[in-house]
Amino acid sequence: ENSISIFFFLDALRTGNAPSEETKNKIEEAFKLLEKFLEGQNWIAGSNITIADYAIAVSISMTDVS
């Protein structure tokens, strides 16, 4: 499945267990997709910061796949 979701690592956050290699790979794929999406623009949903940007920032700041 090509769908990438925050749910891949929510269980790791909830339980405190380290994410699996598969989960780490899916998160890395999601970050690459986000970087590609943001090429040539500063914000997720338009020319100004929106709640979408804050939501992405919160999700990324919670990501610890070490």
Side-chain angles (χ1 to χ4, degrees), residues 11 13 15 18 21 24-30 32 41 45 63:
D11 188 54
L13 292 173
T15 64
E21 285 302 312
K24 288 179 184 181
N25 291 338
K26 289 180 179 182
I27 293 169
E28 184 176 323
E29 186 178 333
K32 287 178 183 178
Q41 61 188 51
T63 305

Side-chain angles (χ1 to χ4, degrees), residues 37-49 53:
F37 181 81
L38 285 171
E39 283 181 5
Q41 61 188 51
N42 294 323
W43 310 109
I44 295 291
S47 59
N48 297 306
I49 195 167
D53 300 291

